Amino acid sequence: MFAALLASCGKTAREPVTLTYPHGWYSEPDEVKKTAALSQQFTAETGIHIQDIPTPENTLDGLGLLIKLLRMGSSGADLVHVDLIWSAVLEPDLIDLKPDLGAEISSVEPQLLPTYTVNGKVVAIPYQVNIGVLEYRSDLLHEYGYNHPPATWSELERMSQRIQAGERAKGKKEFWGYVWQGAQAEGLTCNALEWQAAEGGGRIIERDRTISVNNPAAIRAWLRAKSWVGRISPPSVLAYREGDSANMFDSGKAAFNRVWLGRTIARGAQSHQAYWRPTHPVVPTGFAAIPGGPGGSGATLGGYGLAVSGHTIHRQEAIKYVGFLTRAQVESFQNGKAFVNQPGGLSASSATNEFEESQHGSRVVDRPSVETGALYKQVSAAYMSAVHSVLSGKKRAKEAAAELEQQLIQLTGFRAVPLPRAGK
């Protein structure tokens, strides 16, 4: 006993572990407050401290910094946010979470996992999930005799034309049927992917690494969208980003808007959608699935996941925190804490019911970031440029599709396989 006492006197008290956690504050409006509360709870339960470090909100700006921080080890980052389009790029610097967090991974909706799975390795667990949806003026649909939002792009066109004509007849000359994101940016890639998937034209690059852009269905999708410009969408839509279309809709100048909404990560919890929106519409609002076509309805997936650095010296502590955050996110939806933050709009329950009904038959469409890896930024830039050239009338659709196909072949080395003709 005396020897043990002497030995213990020579030991210094172990310093508490502090995890470095760089991440952006760009998902939920109250994320800063929410994350601070969770980190405090985790510290109280485990004694492990969290150092939150804000990073650039723009995912393109933040990628280079993220790579640098990961490779600095624990002095830079122990765990990070991973935008789903960068999973393959960051995979070499991230650990496989499957061996340690199998239970947490199994609690997540399976369709959210492929974009975070690279070569069989789960590099991140989905944490904040965004999905493309259609936002609509519920009062105007009722006024013009519609008892449901448009299920197809053809229905959206007809409704938009009728509502637009009616509102302009009331003197609202700047009213438009449908606004969306047409600027040559990532938002256009997401929109065009939804149009193309609905027409049965593929997802740019398929999971077998074949290129699917130069086919009749994709060309029809682009031409359909081109026909909206100046007819049901303002000519300026070709310069719109998310904030621009939201401002038009929120100010009461549009009937429909393509918008990002959050959703739960919880497996089988479709009735607990996580509705949030960065701004508050001042008009009665509803949400519906993205309209479909011959290929069905597809909504682009966005958001980020939680990952652990492969260079951290606090591996087990970081894994523990990722598991803690994942369980907290799942439990928040299981406890019914999701809500719609839209004053003057629909109630949470009615919005949830209408959205769930419209979701029947729709599917998530993920961008081909896993297939293209570090080339994704170039692939997306080529795709959005080709689509924008068609929408603006600078190129014919067939010409743009053929040129894009050749460009993607040169970029990726993948082969192009035309998809079968879809629809008429």
Side-chain angles (χ1 to χ4, degrees):
M1 184 181 297
F2 181 68
L5 182 61
L6 286 176
S8 66
C9 291
K11 293 182 180 179
T12 58
R14 184 180 178 184
E15 291 291 327
V17 170
T18 297
L19 298 176
T20 307
Y21 181 25
H23 52 106
W25 306 112
Y26 52 83
S27 262
E28 297 182 7
D30 63 343
E31 186 173 352
V32 174
K33 183 187 298 184
K34 175 182 174 182
T35 303
L38 286 172
S39 64
Q40 290 168 10
Q41 180 185 342
F42 179 75
T43 299
E45 293 178 4
T46 65
I48 301 169
H49 296 265
I50 309 297
Q51 182 180 9
D52 292 308
I53 302 176
T55 57
E57 294 185 4
N58 187 317
T59 183
L60 299 180
D61 295 339
L63 178 61
L65 174 61
L66 195 57
I67 292 174
K68 181 179 180 179
L69 291 173
L70 283 169
R71 293 176 182 174
M72 288 171 61
S74 293
S75 62
D78 293 298
L79 67 155
V80 293
H81 283 180
V82 174
D83 189 299
L84 56 82
I85 62 175
W86 301 131
S87 296
V89 178
L90 298 174
E91 180 269 331
D93 296 297
L94 302 173
I95 72 167
D96 184 2
L97 296 173
K98 191 162 44 178
D100 294 286
L101 296 175
E104 286 77 9
I105 291 170
S106 67
S107 70
V108 172
E109 182 62 36
Q111 65 177 335
L112 303 178
L113 293 171
T115 50
Y116 295 108
T117 304
V118 183
N119 299 322
K121 176 179 173 181
V122 179
V123 298
I125 298 180
Y127 187 62
Q128 296 289 1
V129 179
N130 307 328
I131 192 166
V133 302
L134 183 70
E135 183 176 43
Y136 63 91
R137 284 284 299 276
S138 54
D139 58 334
L140 292 182
L141 261 64
H142 178 74
E143 180 180 338
Y144 287 89
Y146 300 115
N147 58 13
H148 61 82
T152 66
W153 288 113
S154 295
E155 277 191 326
L156 178 134
E157 291 174 353
R158 291 194 297 270
M159 290 183 182
S160 292
Q161 285 181 295
R162 183 179 175 190
I163 296 172
Q164 178 177 299
E167 292 302 290
R168 290 187 176 185
K170 298 176 185 177
K172 300 177 182 178
K173 301 302 181 183
E174 297 183 353
F175 189 93
W176 291 92
Y178 181 43
V179 290
W180 38 282
Q181 300 79 47
Q184 197 167 315
E186 188 67 17
L188 178 57
T189 293
C190 297
N191 276 264
L193 178 57
E194 291 166 352
W195 307 335
Q196 184 174 328
E199 198 66 30
R203 56 182 286 265
I204 309 173
I205 294 176
E206 306 304 316
R207 299 199 188 282
D208 63 359
R209 289 174 167 74
T210 56
I211 298 167
S212 55
V213 291
N214 187 18
N215 61 75
I219 291 169
R220 280 197 304 275
W222 299 356
L223 289 174
R224 178 194 286 274
K226 181 180 185 296
S227 75
W228 299 337
V229 182
R231 182 167 62 98
I232 61 173
S233 301
S236 57
V237 78
L238 297 183
Y240 279 14
R241 295 174 184 259
E242 282 82 357
D244 302 306
S245 61
N247 287 337
M248 280 286 287
F249 184 87
D250 293 351
S251 61
K253 295 180 180 178
F256 300 100
N257 175 34
R258 192 274 186 194
V259 69
W260 291 103
L261 284 185
R263 58 152 292 174
T264 176
I265 66 170
R267 185 186 186 104
Q270 292 298 315
S271 61
H272 294 293
Q273 294 289 337
Y275 298 110
W276 59 263
R277 199 176 181 283
T279 58
H280 295 279
V282 296
V283 291
T285 306
F287 300 112
I290 292 292
S297 170
T300 307
L301 188 65
Y304 65 83
L306 299 170
V308 173
S309 169
H311 310 288
T312 176
I313 61 173
H314 303 307
R315 179 181 177 125
Q316 289 306 316
E317 290 87 350
I319 289 172
K320 184 177 291 187
Y321 191 43
V322 168
F324 170 83
L325 291 176
T326 302
R327 290 190 298 273
Q329 191 76 311
V330 170
E331 289 168 5
S332 71
F333 295 113
Q334 291 175 338
N335 294 334
K337 293 181 181 179
F339 63 95
V340 183
N341 63 347
Q342 44 173 341
L346 296 175
S347 67
S349 59
S350 61
T352 300
N353 292 338
E354 291 194 19
F355 185 84
E356 292 309 322
E357 290 173 5
S358 73
Q359 281 284 80
H360 181 69
S362 67
R363 70 187 190 283
V364 167
V365 181
D366 52 298
R367 287 163 281 176
S369 56
V370 170
E371 293 78 8
T372 55
L375 294 172
Y376 175 75
K377 184 177 180 179
Q378 294 168 269
V379 168
S380 179
Y383 180 72
M384 71 177 73
S385 177
V387 174
H388 198 272
S389 72
V390 174
L391 299 176
S392 60
K394 293 179 180 178
K395 288 185 181 179
R396 297 175 57 209
K398 289 184 178 180
E399 173 191 352
E403 290 179 1
L404 175 62
E405 181 179 73
Q406 290 304 310
Q407 191 175 359
L408 294 182
I409 289 173
Q410 293 174 5
L411 269 174
T412 65
F414 300 159
R415 62 193 179 95
V417 177
L419 296 180
R421 183 178 295 271
K424 295 182 180 180

